């Protein structure tokens, strides 16, 4: 992050634009819709799609369950790749801590299997929508908390303010990671 860059703020509204769907709508700092997730199935379904305003598919997020573990893979959408041939762009694994209220998840970006590397970590509390995303060095990348009006009144639990401290990141990747966190928390 350069010294002259300014933090960006997004508003996350945990509602779908579709009447009967579950989802997430993301507004940029100008109040325009930037991203959306329309989950037609159910809360925390196995496959969720991140789109831009026009409905262009950006990421497909898939839950991978093994026994009681539930990890996620994110596939960056490229119209040229067959669904069976595509490889994950990132993987999210929960860090298991028994009898703890803390929720931590490690995010690894995928190249080939030998180049998988830890890039980000989520930190939050079970049952809470507020969280932080840290980079591999422990520096703050983004932070989400309940949104407040200009008069200081907290809005509902389904409206969050996401502040991107490091603005040089791919916003679609960051929104895919935020979506996975909210799916793990069963919020969308």
């Amino acid at each position: 992050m350069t010294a002259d860059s300014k933090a960006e703020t997004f508003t996350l509204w945990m509602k779908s634009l579709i009447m009967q769907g579950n989802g997430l709508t993301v507004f940029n700092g100008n109040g325009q819709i930037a991203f959306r997730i329309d989950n037609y199935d159910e809360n925390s379904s196995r496959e969720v799609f991140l789109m831009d305003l026009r409905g262009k598919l950006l990421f497909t997020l898939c839950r991978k369950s093994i026994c009681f573990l539930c990890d996620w893979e994110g596939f960056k959408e490229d119209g040229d790749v067959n669904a069976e041939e595509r490889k994950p762009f990132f993987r999210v694994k929960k860090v298991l801590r028994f009898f703890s209220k803390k929720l931590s998840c490690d995010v690894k970006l995928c190249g080939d299997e030998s180049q998988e590397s830890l890039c980000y970590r989520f930190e939050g509390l079970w049952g809470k929508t507020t969280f932080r995303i840290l980079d591999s060095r422990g520096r703050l990348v983004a932070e989400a908390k309940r949104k407040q009006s200009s008069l200081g009144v907290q809005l509902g639990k389904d409206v969050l303010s996401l502040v991107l401290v490091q603005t040089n990141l791919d916003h679609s990747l960051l929104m895919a990671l935020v979506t996975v966190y909210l799916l793990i928390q069963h919020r969308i």
Side-chain angles (χ1 to χ4, degrees), residues 105-107 118-123 132-143 165-166:
C105 298
D106 288 339
V107 178
L118 176 65
C119 290
Y120 301 106
R121 172 171 272 189
F122 298 124
E123 290 184 349
R132 300 179 325 156
I133 300 175
L134 307 173
D135 67 11
S136 60
R137 295 182 182 168
R139 295 178 300 192
L140 184 64
V141 173
E143 185 172 25
V165 177
Q166 294 183 17

Side-chain angles (χ1 to χ4, degrees), residues 116-132:
E116 204 170 270
S117 62
L118 176 65
C119 290
Y120 301 106
R121 172 171 272 189
F122 298 124
E123 290 184 349
L125 296 173
W126 282 105
K128 304 289 183 185
T129 53
T130 58
F131 63 93
R132 300 179 325 156

Side-chain angles (χ1 to χ4, degrees), residues 1 5 10 22 24-25 28 32 101 103 113 130 160 174:
M1 188 168 110
S5 64
F10 289 88
N22 300 304
L24 174 70
T25 306
N28 63 20
Q32 300 165 326
K101 291 182 180 184
L103 171 61
E113 291 301 315
T130 58
L160 300 176
L174 196 60

Side-chain angles (χ1 to χ4, degrees), residues 22-165:
N22 300 304
L24 174 70
T25 306
V26 180
F27 299 88
N28 63 20
N30 298 326
Q32 300 165 326
I33 297 173
F35 301 98
R36 65 188 183 123
I37 291 117
D38 292 317
N39 183 2
Y40 307 105
D41 249 353
E42 58 192 52
N43 277 349
S44 300
S45 67
R46 294 184 111 16
E47 190 173 61
V48 178
F49 306 99
L50 173 67
M51 299 172 275
D52 66 9
L53 172 62
R54 292 172 186 77
K56 178 184 175 199
L57 190 57
L58 303 172
F59 275 94
T60 299
L61 309 170
C62 299
R63 181 171 54 186
K64 304 292 179 189
S65 297
I66 302 171
C67 296
F68 63 91
L69 298 176
C70 178
D71 298 330
W72 288 84
E73 291 181 341
F75 298 89
K76 192 166 189 146
E77 291 302 329
D78 181 10
D80 299 335
V81 178
N82 187 346
E84 289 82 31
E85 297 173 6
R86 67 184 180 176
K87 294 187 176 161
F89 190 77
F90 67 85
R91 287 188 173 97
V92 177
K93 288 188 150 316
K94 284 190 279 189
V95 177
L96 294 178
R97 291 189 176 116
F98 294 104
F99 309 112
S100 176
K101 291 182 180 184
K102 289 184 179 180
L103 171 61
S104 293
C105 298
D106 288 339
V107 178
K108 293 183 179 181
L109 295 183
C110 305
D112 58 31
E113 291 301 315
S114 64
Q115 293 181 340
E116 204 170 270
S117 62
L118 176 65
C119 290
Y120 301 106
R121 172 171 272 189
F122 298 124
E123 290 184 349
L125 296 173
W126 282 105
K128 304 289 183 185
T129 53
T130 58
F131 63 93
R132 300 179 325 156
I133 300 175
L134 307 173
D135 67 11
S136 60
R137 295 182 182 168
R139 295 178 300 192
L140 184 64
V141 173
E143 185 172 25
K145 50 186 157 186
R146 281 183 61 186
K147 186 163 179 93
Q148 291 186 354
S149 71
S150 58
L151 298 174
V153 176
Q154 274 194 341
L155 302 179
K157 291 181 182 179
D158 63 343
V159 182
L160 300 176
S161 179
L162 178 72
V163 178
L164 305 181
V165 177

